[in-house]
Amino acid sequence: MTTAVFAGSFDPATNGHLDVVKRAAAVFDRLIVAVGSTTGKEPLFDAQERVEMLQEACAGLDNVEVEAFDGLLVDFVARKGASVIVKGLRCMSDFDREYQMAFHNRGLHPQIETVFLMASPPHIHLRSSVIKEIARLGGDVAGFVPEAVAKRLRDRA
Ligand code: PNS
């Protein structure tokens, strides 16, 4: 049984994140979506809100769990008995950042593999930061995020 951890800030989760969740859940026996509590960025939604939105969006995916984590990602992964970190990749700037994190994580914990899933074409442009700006300025984000997220963005605007 292979447990994988899909880690991110998810502030908020987009349809691109959800696409990666579904595809990773089809590859691995168990998938934990891990919401970083401390990411160095000032989030719009606190960790609990981000977890709740993802739980709503992932309802019906039987082998998917969502939880927040603090501290080092590799420590969380090891604590959970997982052996794989899943990350989504959209473009070269994602790759630049992610391969550095993957090598640092491997240096910290060589037994944990990082696996990348390419974003699907309909979602390749989606960015949480841009979506937050659109919502803040009154735009319709319904096509970019799960309904649970769209609702909270509308409430927050
Ligand atoms: O969605 P993001 O912002 O790319 O997610 C980044 C996240 C939360 C996965 C990353 O910041 C992280 O792993 N934070 C935990 C702290 C840690 O382990 N840092 C060392 C990573 S090399």
Side-chain angles (χ1 to χ4, degrees), residues 128-139:
S128 300
S129 55
V130 177
I131 289 168
K132 281 186 283 192
E133 179 173 305
I134 293 170
R136 186 169 51 81
L137 299 174

Side-chain angles (χ1 to χ4, degrees), residues 24-88:
V27 172
F28 298 103
D29 300 303
R30 175 179 173 229
L31 182 73
I32 301 170
V33 183
V35 175
S37 303
T38 44
T39 61
K41 302 175 225 166
E42 187 57 42
L44 176 64
F45 295 103
D46 67 31
Q48 182 57 33
E49 291 175 297
R50 285 178 273 149
V51 166
E52 285 167 8
M53 286 186 277
L54 273 160
Q55 280 171 336
E56 275 186 60
C58 295
L61 299 172
D62 292 340
N63 61 339
V64 176
E65 301 155 34
V66 185
E67 68 178 274
F69 76 99
D70 269 321
L72 285 176
L73 175 59
V74 287
D75 290 342
F76 175 79
V77 172
R79 227 171 26 248
K80 289 288 161 185
S83 52
V84 177
I85 295 170
V86 173
K87 292 292 191 80

Side-chain angles (χ1 to χ4, degrees), residues 1 7-9 37 39 42 55-56 64 67 70-71 83 87 91 94 96-97 111 113-114 118-119 146-147 149 151 153:
M1 160 134 169
S9 305
S37 303
T39 61
E42 187 57 42
Q55 280 171 336
E56 275 186 60
V64 176
E67 68 178 274
D70 269 321
S83 52
K87 292 292 191 80
C91 54
D94 279 354
D96 276 349
R97 183 162 172 268
Q111 282 76 38
E113 285 289 355
T114 300
M118 298 302 299
E147 178 49 31
V149 174
K151 184 179 177 315
L153 281 169

